Amino acid sequence: MASFNFRLISRLDSISGRIFSVLLFGIICSAALTWWLAFGERQNTISNERNNYRADRAKHAEQLIQAIDALPAANREGLLKAIHRFGLKVVPVPANVPDYKASTPYGIALSERLGKSFKIIPLPPAPENCLMRPDDRGPTEACEALIFVLNDGSGLHQTIFPARPPTAPIQPETYFYLGLFLACIAGLALFVSRMTIRPLQQLAQAATDLGHDINRPALEERGPKEIQQATRAFNSMQLRIRDHIQQRTQMLAAITHDLQTPLTRLRLRLEKVSDQELHGKLVGDLSSMQMMVKEGLDLARSMDSNEALQALDIDSLLDSICADASDAGHDVSLLDKSKATVMARPQALRRCLNNLVDNAIKYGHSAKLHLIQSTEAKQRWLHICVRDQGNGIPVDQQTRVFEPFYRMETSRSRETGGTGLGLTIALNIARQHNGKLSLSNLPEGGLEVRLSLPIKA
């Protein structure tokens, strides 16, 4: 359940990233589309303004040429000097020139106005035919050179330059404002994605905490209507699970507790049996029954998480367990020190480790405890490895041995006195501590049982 909840939290983080990416991409695309439409409208407006400007310019040029044509030839030079900004010059009319075909918008507008009153002669687009513009772009730029034939036979030369594109260089502050805009929409997208995913993250974290402590306080029902409904359903589920576990635990504890009294009476009455061989067999069977009752009670306790979590020095606990086993005459030793602190229920964790050490002694004749630390996904872990010198467990049975009352028929037979609950109890306690329990056969022979616990920061 804990691993599922960790995957759920990771999946929610992925959903948050997706929401952020979709929002950011959508806002940027909307902004780009808006800019493209605005730029297109700007270009249309500029184009219309330029067309209006060409029409006005052609109208003024028509009036100016008509005024020059009405003046005597002797007075034209003075007028042309006064209006030099228009780029007009009196020149001789060339012979054998082709008919004029306008090639620029301005030339087209001008020919439409002057074509009926004046003859228009085109000149080759050579640099020497381009008069200087007032803005000094130079005669080498492509142009359209025209000669208007006046009524007295004089020629009036005018140069028409192509219009400049309506573009302006991007100013440095434009990049600053663009970056500020992108930062604002990224912040907005991040805020919205976090706000959207936060209730789901809280629900996933509550599910993880539920696996560690079934008696944890209920979630506060707040937020949008849908989130309140999900929270209410989660709290109801927690209540049902807690009642179910408590009822099962209480039933199992009551059965095992009530069996203690008749078993004790049976042991007392067995003392009156005179047949020593029968007496030994009955006492052995009774001891097995009492062991099963004791481990059944331990199994019920392993599913009860009422004991409070507290910071625990794991080295001190392991020293105590090894010392007790050594005093009983067993080959048990702690080979490493971790200096690590874990959040644990002391009595439950002691019961878990005692079961692992007892199994190693019973089936492997010794227990060597090694401590290893590692880091996975920013979480530090302490691995307590209990190694024995037995025959190990076949790989295909390493999962089944955690099932209640499961016992192997070879090295771990009924003759050893096991009930098949030791590893089940240890696994329940490990999961209560957000830990893991795994088995592996050692290359040199023997079995390693690894209890992995998260280290308190």
Side-chain angles (χ1 to χ4, degrees):
M1 181 175 180
S3 61
F4 169 76
N5 291 327
F6 282 135
R7 292 196 300 270
L8 179 58
I9 292 177
S10 300
R11 181 64 58 84
L12 290 177
D13 289 339
S14 176
I15 292 176
S16 178
R18 292 179 182 180
I19 293 176
F20 170 75
S21 301
V22 170
L23 285 175
L24 184 61
F25 178 75
I27 294 176
I28 291 178
C29 289
S30 300
L33 178 61
T34 302
W35 179 85
W36 180 75
L37 293 175
F39 181 78
E41 185 63 26
R42 174 177 176 269
Q43 293 297 100
N44 291 333
T45 302
I46 292 176
S47 177
N48 293 334
E49 291 293 332
R50 292 179 63 187
N51 291 335
N52 295 334
Y53 172 74
R54 292 191 194 103
D56 292 341
R57 186 181 176 191
K59 178 180 179 181
H60 295 156
E62 176 192 11
Q63 295 174 352
L64 181 59
I65 292 173
Q66 290 177 348
I68 295 174
D69 180 61
L71 286 175
N75 297 333
R76 290 173 183 167
E77 289 295 332
L79 177 61
L80 293 178
K81 290 181 180 179
I83 58 172
H84 66 278
R85 293 179 60 84
F86 286 88
L88 296 173
K89 181 180 179 181
V90 176
V91 294
V93 176
N96 300 324
V97 293
D99 294 335
Y100 172 64
K101 293 183 179 180
S103 60
T104 63
Y106 172 72
I108 294 173
L110 189 59
S111 64
E112 291 176 352
R113 288 182 170 274
L114 298 177
K116 298 178 181 180
S117 303
F118 301 93
K119 182 179 180 181
I120 303 177
I121 301 174
L123 294 178
E128 59 271 14
N129 293 327
C130 296
L131 301 177
M132 291 291 294
R133 290 187 57 159
D135 54 8
D136 295 330
R137 287 203 290 183
T140 59
E141 185 174 340
C143 67
E144 182 179 10
L146 304 175
I147 293 180
F148 303 98
V149 181
L150 304 180
N151 291 325
D152 61 357
S154 301
L156 188 63
H157 182 194
Q158 184 180 26
T159 302
I160 304 172
F161 285 91
R164 288 178 174 176
T167 57
I170 300 178
Q171 301 299 321
E173 57 268 17
T174 303
Y175 296 104
F176 170 76
Y177 291 127
L178 179 61
L180 181 62
F181 170 74
L182 293 177
C184 289
I185 63 175
L188 177 62
L190 181 62
F191 173 76
V192 172
S193 63
R194 290 288 182 85
M195 181 180 65
T196 304
I197 208 67
R198 187 179 297 113
L200 297 179
Q201 289 178 328
Q202 293 173 349
L203 198 60
Q205 185 61 47
T208 301
D209 296 340
L210 182 64
H212 306 155
D213 182 11
I214 193 63
N215 296 314
R216 62 178 301 280
L219 288 176
E220 183 179 354
E221 298 179 7
R222 61 182 180 181
K225 180 180 179 181
E226 294 78 6
I227 298 300
Q228 290 184 14
Q229 290 176 345
T231 304
R232 193 176 302 114
F234 180 85
N235 290 337
S236 178
M237 178 195 69
Q238 176 184 348
L239 181 60
R240 290 195 301 270
I241 293 176
R242 181 170 58 202
D243 291 343
H244 174 71
I245 292 177
Q246 287 179 349
Q247 289 173 6
R248 189 180 66 172
T249 303
Q250 290 171 0
M251 180 180 65
L252 183 58
I255 292 174
T256 54
H257 180 270
D258 292 344
L259 284 175
Q260 293 286 352
T261 301
L263 289 176
T264 303
R265 289 199 300 264
L266 283 175
R267 179 175 288 275
L268 292 175
R269 291 172 181 172
L270 283 177
E271 298 300 327
K272 298 180 180 181
V273 176
S274 57
D275 187 341
Q276 293 300 321
E277 183 179 358
L278 179 60
H279 177 271
K281 292 180 179 179
L282 292 176
V283 169
D285 291 339
L286 187 59
S287 297
S288 298
M289 292 177 63
Q290 287 181 320
M291 179 63 68
M292 292 184 64
V293 170
K294 177 181 177 298
E295 292 198 1
L297 187 58
D298 288 340
L299 178 62
R301 290 172 179 169
S302 71
M303 295 182 290
D304 186 8
S305 59
N306 288 327
E307 187 181 1
L309 286 169
Q310 59 181 340
L312 183 64
D313 183 0
I314 198 67
D315 292 339
S316 300
L317 177 62
L318 293 175
D319 279 334
S320 174
I321 293 174
C322 292
D324 292 343
S326 298
D327 292 343
H330 301 300
D331 182 11
V332 178
S333 58
L334 176 62
L335 304 181
D336 306 290
K337 297 288 185 179
S338 65
K339 299 180 181 180
T341 300
V342 298
M343 294 299 297
R345 298 177 175 90
Q347 296 302 320
L349 187 57
R350 175 182 286 273
R351 187 180 304 119
C352 173
L353 292 170
N354 276 331
N355 283 0
L356 300 182
V357 171
D358 289 344
N359 277 357
I361 295 171
K362 185 182 299 181
Y363 306 112
H365 314 296
S366 67
K368 306 297 182 184
L369 277 67
H370 296 264
L371 302 181
I372 303 173
Q373 296 189 35
S374 67
T375 302
E376 300 175 10
K378 299 182 181 180
Q379 171 63 58
R380 295 178 58 215
W381 290 85
L382 173 65
H383 307 282
I384 305 173
C385 304
V386 182
R387 300 172 181 173
D388 62 35
Q389 298 178 352
N391 298 325
I393 298 178
V395 177
D396 59 343
Q397 298 190 45
Q398 289 182 1
T399 302
R400 296 197 62 190
V401 294
F402 291 108
E403 298 175 3
F405 302 107
Y406 178 80
R407 289 172 291 187
M408 297 174 58
E409 294 298 330
T410 56
S411 61
R412 302 188 180 214
S413 65
R414 294 177 182 271
E415 297 177 358
T416 62
T419 60
L421 291 177
L423 288 178
T424 304
I425 294 171
L427 180 61
N428 287 342
I429 296 174
R431 288 175 174 174
Q432 283 185 9
H433 290 80
N434 194 23
K436 298 174 286 185
L437 195 62
S438 60
L439 306 178
S440 62
N441 292 319
L442 298 173
E444 64 274 15
L447 180 72
E448 177 186 275
V449 183
R450 176 170 295 198
L451 173 63
S452 302
L453 300 173
I455 298 177
K456 179 179 180 294

